[in-house]
């Protein structure tokens, strides 16, 4: 990813720590978004309220170095109610972890992350 076309950028990938029997859900593209509507459905991991979300962020540097002002990961989730599967509610508990302070990366690097005991609130109402 190269912002505004400056610099060499990096390829970012996530690896989650999951169980072999980790439940997955299929998310359909939103029909009102033309670009998304052409995309196939996404098969995503489902984390329940008592589960820790953890894994590794991998950065593969494109070029000789990558200067940055800090590397962060943010926890963002989506709630789907069992009785109303067509509507999704996004919750953002404002959980941000700093993986690295400002600096320069000259080689590929991996950062472990963990969001333990995150309240994944499913008590939402819609007016």
């Amino acid at each position: 990813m190269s912002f505004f076309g400056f610099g060499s950028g990096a390829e970012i990938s996530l690896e989650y720590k999951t169980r072999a029997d980790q439940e997955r859900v299929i998310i359909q593209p939103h029909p009102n978004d033309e670009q998304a509507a052409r995309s196939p459905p996404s098969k995503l991991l489902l984390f329940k309220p008592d589960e820790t979300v953890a894994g590794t962020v991998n950065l593969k540097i494109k070029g000789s170095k990558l200067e940055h002002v800090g590397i962060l990961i943010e926890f963002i989730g989506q709630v789907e109610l069992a009785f109303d599967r067509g509507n999704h509610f996004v919750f953002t508990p404002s959980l941000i972890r700093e993986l690295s302070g400002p600096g320069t990366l000259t080689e590929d690097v991996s950062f472990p992350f963990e969001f333990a005991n995150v309240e994944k609130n499913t008590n939402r109402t819609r007016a």
Side-chain angles (χ1 to χ4, degrees), residues 62-80:
K62 295 180 179 179
S64 60
K65 67 179 180 175
L66 175 68
E67 294 181 28
H68 62 88
V69 294
I71 300 171
L72 307 173
I73 186 166
E74 181 175 9
F75 184 89
I76 300 174
Q78 176 175 300
V79 174
E80 182 177 287

Side-chain angles (χ1 to χ4, degrees), residues 43-84:
K43 193 171 186 180
L44 304 176
L45 293 166
L46 177 66
F47 292 96
K48 297 185 178 174
D50 59 339
E51 293 179 318
T52 294
V53 179
T56 306
V57 176
N58 302 304
L59 296 176
K60 184 176 180 181
I61 306 303
K62 295 180 179 179
S64 60
K65 67 179 180 175
L66 175 68
E67 294 181 28
H68 62 88
V69 294
I71 300 171
L72 307 173
I73 186 166
E74 181 175 9
F75 184 89
I76 300 174
Q78 176 175 300
V79 174
E80 182 177 287
L81 303 176
F83 61 86
D84 190 11

Side-chain angles (χ1 to χ4, degrees), residues 25-44:
V25 294
I26 296 174
I27 304 295
Q28 300 292 335
H30 195 283
N32 294 338
D33 183 344
E34 290 180 27
Q35 183 177 1
R38 291 189 296 263
S39 301
S42 300
K43 193 171 186 180
L44 304 176

